[in-house]
Structures are given as C-alpha cells and as structure tokens.
Amino acid sequence: MTAARDEDTHFGFSNVRLTDKQRLVDDVFHKVASRYDLMNDLMSGGLHRAWKDALVSTLRPPRHRPFHHLDVAGGTGDIAFRVSDAGGPDTKVTVLDINGEMLAVGRARAAARHAHDIEFVQGNAESLPFPDRSFDAYTIAFGIRNVPRIELALKEAHRVLKRGGRFLCLEFSRVDVPVLDAIYDAYSFNVIPAMGRMVTGDGEPYRYLVESIRKFPKARAFAGMIEEAGFVRVTARPMTGGIVALHSGWKI
C-alpha cells in the first residue's frame, strides 16, 4: 500500500498516478496553446506583463559580455523576448518546453525579430538535454507547478547553471491580504473557467490551472526545496498581495 501511495500525485485537486501527470498536463497545454497569451492578459488584467518585466529587471542580463540564458516552460517566448531585448548583442537565449504546440507559437512569434538569438528546444525540465554548467541564468515563469517531479527539475536547474549562475522562478503563490484572498478565490474558481470556456470553447484546462495554484507549496516551503537542490541566498519576493512570488537562488 505504501508503494502505491508513493506513485500518486495531484493533478489539480484530483489524485493521479505520477506516471500519468505529464500526459495530462500536456493535454491541457495542447488545448490552450493558441490562445495562451490572450488568456493570460484576460485572466490577470494584463498584470502578468508587469510580473514578467519584474523578473527580467531582477535578472539584469549584461549588455557588454556574452550571456547564455535558459528559459524553461517558456514555449511562447514571453520571457525569452524580454531577456533578449534587455541584454546585449552577445546574449543568447534557449527556450525549452515539453509541449510542441507552445513551441510552435514561440517560433512563429520569434521569426520577425529574434530568429538568430533565440533557440527553441523541445524537452523535459526533469531531464534537461544540456551539458553541466552550460548557462549563466535559468528562469521558469508559471511552469514549475506543472512539473510532476519538481525536485528533479530544481536539481537539473542547478546542474546546467555555471558557478555564479542565477535561478529565478516566477510562480503563483498564496494571497496574504484579508478580503483580497476571498475575492481572488471567487474570481479564480468562477470567472476564470467561464472565461476560458468563452474564449477557447473549453473551461476545464483553466479549472486545472486554478486548482494547480492551490496545490503548489507555499513560498517558504518552495524556498526550502530550492535550497535542498543546492542553491544559496534563496529569497522569495511576494508581489500583488501575494498572488505571485518571485523566487531567487544562486549557484556557487
């Protein structure tokens, strides 16, 4: 019985076998890829843009030396484009995503301005297809909670970073403002799935996305997981009343 429990994990509020979760997550993003950025704007009232800008401002890619950056679960290119624009001419960005449809959206968007400085790679965050100490920085925005084995993804992040490299993770967190927390819950569970159904024809992927936020570890617990993966000087910065948190760690 114990072994069976060890094979279980969560998919939103449902319990599923660990080996099934990636397939279920993939199916969600197959369904939402073409409208992913539009729905981000609608669901967050455009705030996701400010949160992503804050991530890149914290990263501060250098403008006068080579900089190789890895953005994981960033198929549509939102973070990659920002990093490329903020960095100098020797900034190279690799986008990794497990979902081919999301990558197709990113490649199409990159064709006009970023065809030569951004590479798109299909792969798994739990087993990155890159050598040790390949990157100066690693980011993942709103993707880590969808990884079945988060601890493996964190260890892989640490492995592929150079010494002195920085890990940054932007992820939804827990609202810590009274009244706002109740409003946020009502909005999340009632408005977002209905909005998804109206825009994409299917509200269930957005119900999963809302539920997955509630199942993700609290900021302090996640910071502990980052430290266990080998990172130091780990911090968690709440934003917008705790709706999201920006987690940071360094490899030394």
Side-chain angles (χ1 to χ4, degrees):
M1 295 294 293
T2 301
R5 283 197 300 270
D6 288 344
E7 292 294 324
D8 290 343
T9 187
H10 59 82
F11 176 73
F13 289 163
S14 301
N15 290 324
V16 299
R17 291 188 64 79
L18 185 60
T19 51
D20 291 337
K21 180 169 179 176
Q22 189 63 68
R23 173 181 56 80
L24 294 168
V25 170
D26 288 349
D27 186 56
V28 167
F29 285 94
H30 287 318
K31 293 176 179 176
V32 305
S34 64
R35 300 292 183 92
Y36 185 73
D37 290 319
L38 170 62
M39 280 300 299
N40 280 343
D41 276 330
L42 294 174
M43 289 188 299
S44 71
L47 280 171
H48 78 103
R49 297 174 182 272
W51 298 329
K52 292 170 181 175
D53 287 345
L55 182 153
V56 176
S57 294
T58 301
L59 179 65
R60 291 198 301 272
R63 299 194 61 84
H64 304 293
R65 63 176 173 84
F67 185 74
H68 195 181
H69 179 73
L70 175 64
D71 184 51
V72 174
T76 63
D78 253 13
I79 298 297
F81 302 147
R82 286 170 166 82
V83 172
S84 181
D85 289 341
D90 292 323
T91 295
K92 302 296 180 185
V93 183
T94 299
V95 176
L96 179 132
D97 202 298
I98 200 168
N99 190 285
E101 279 85 350
M102 298 287 280
L103 288 167
V105 172
R107 288 191 185 102
R109 294 178 63 194
R113 292 179 52 202
H114 296 284
H116 303 295
D117 55 2
I118 298 179
E119 178 185 18
F120 291 85
V121 176
Q122 187 164 6
N124 193 324
E126 297 177 1
S127 181
L128 296 172
F130 309 114
D132 296 355
R133 299 180 292 279
S134 298
F135 297 95
D136 297 290
Y138 172 119
T139 55
I140 182 166
F142 306 118
I144 195 90
R145 73 183 191 282
N146 298 311
V147 176
R149 301 171 181 87
I150 293 173
E151 67 283 359
L152 292 185
L154 293 173
K155 288 178 181 177
E156 280 290 274
H158 190 271
R159 179 184 68 79
V160 301
L161 279 172
K162 300 174 184 178
R163 292 195 179 277
R166 191 170 195 181
F167 168 86
L168 286 171
C169 174
L170 185 64
E171 189 53 87
F172 289 105
S173 191
R174 305 293 175 88
V175 175
D176 56 7
V177 177
V179 181
L180 178 60
D181 55 355
I183 295 171
Y184 179 60
D185 274 353
Y187 174 77
S188 296
F189 286 103
N190 296 296
V191 177
I192 288 178
M195 190 184 300
R197 186 166 55 252
M198 181 177 65
V199 173
T200 69
D202 189 354
E204 285 309 304
Y206 295 95
R207 184 169 300 281
Y208 157 72
L209 293 173
V210 169
E211 291 176 355
S212 69
I213 294 168
R214 301 311 188 276
K215 297 296 289 185
F216 189 70
K218 292 183 178 179
R220 184 174 296 180
F222 184 53
M225 295 175 68
I226 297 170
E227 290 174 341
E228 287 176 8
F231 291 100
V232 300
R233 293 169 57 194
V234 174
T235 60
R237 171 187 162 196
M239 294 188 286
T240 319
I243 291 176
V244 301
L246 179 57
H247 300 268
S248 171
W250 297 83
K251 177 177 177 177
I252 61 170

